[in-house]
Amino acid sequence: MVLAKHRNSVFGTPSLGHTIPILRVSEQSDPDLVELARTLVREYAALPHTVGRWPTANAEIAALPRPYLHPGGALLVATEDGDAWGCGALLALETSGHAEIKRVYVRPAARGRGVGEAITRGLVAEAERLGFNTIRLDTAPELAAAQALYRRLGFVPIPHYRDGLLPDALCFERAVRP
């Protein structure tokens, strides 16, 4: 789907020497953008490391952009040349001042172009804008490129930080303002 100009918040995130536009999805967003975010998260839910491990995926996708709404979160879509390349979300954790990065996904055609980095940097910027102090995330052990990205962006390994994580999940954390 090619994105038309939307009335949504747009900001750029520098990555690999160029700026990748990021759209913030909200309840006031154009319905096409909300549906595009659902499509991207549905693609994420179909990945081998996710299938069978996210039993509430269909219900959560149908509810988007909830629960990733201001002031407790954000849902972002990365674009380039008018095409949607990926998404990611931020959600407040129960621990005050802590947020969690969720659902980071980059379409195969966009991988290796800095889109994952742009999304992650955008989520860090959203965490700062929303007043969080610490960001946490979990990832699958087979996602080596994601782990390398998180380490490069200042995330450090930590033990499991909440109930419900899969036993093999690798967890990371960083200060919002290092």
Side-chain angles (χ1 to χ4, degrees), residues 9 16 30 40 47 61 66 70 73 76 85 104 120 130 140 152-153 160 175:
S9 298
L16 295 181
D30 183 295
L40 289 165
L47 293 172
I61 292 166
R66 292 186 179 275
H70 179 81
L76 305 180
W85 289 119
V104 175
T120 305
L130 295 170
R152 191 170 71 252
L153 294 179
H160 283 195

Side-chain angles (χ1 to χ4, degrees), residues 56-85:
T56 59
N58 289 336
E60 289 185 36
I61 292 166
L64 290 174
R66 292 186 179 275
Y68 309 110
L69 296 173
H70 179 81
L75 177 60
L76 305 180
V77 172
T79 65
E80 192 162 338
D81 299 325
D83 292 325
W85 289 119

Side-chain angles (χ1 to χ4, degrees), residues 5-158:
K5 293 193 179 194
H6 291 280
R7 300 179 314 262
N8 305 289
S9 298
V10 178
F11 58 96
T13 302
S15 181
L16 295 181
H18 65 287
T19 299
I20 296 173
I22 304 286
L23 302 172
R24 187 181 300 116
V25 184
S26 72
E27 290 183 311
Q28 292 77 39
S29 292
D30 183 295
D32 289 342
L33 180 59
V34 174
E35 188 54 38
L36 179 60
R38 288 180 181 140
T39 298
L40 289 165
V41 176
R42 198 173 291 113
E43 290 174 18
Y44 166 84
L47 293 172
H49 75 275
T50 307
V51 171
R53 299 171 78 164
W54 184 17
T56 59
N58 289 336
E60 289 185 36
I61 292 166
L64 290 174
R66 292 186 179 275
Y68 309 110
L69 296 173
H70 179 81
L75 177 60
L76 305 180
V77 172
T79 65
E80 192 162 338
D81 299 325
D83 292 325
W85 289 119
C87 64
L90 183 76
L91 187 63
L93 288 168
E94 290 182 16
T95 308
S96 179
H98 291 69
E100 181 177 27
I101 288 179
K102 308 282 290 176
R103 318 291 178 236
V104 175
Y105 169 69
V106 177
R107 286 182 158 161
R111 293 180 187 160
R113 298 172 61 183
V115 176
E117 180 175 341
I119 292 167
T120 305
R121 287 182 182 278
L123 292 168
V124 171
E126 287 294 291
E128 183 171 13
R129 184 179 74 84
L130 295 170
F132 292 108
N133 300 315
T134 304
I135 306 171
R136 293 178 172 168
L137 61 87
D138 69 278
T139 191
E142 61 269 28
L143 300 180
Q147 294 167 46
L149 169 65
Y150 299 140
R151 284 185 170 96
R152 191 170 71 252
L153 294 179
F155 287 85
V156 296
I158 60 169

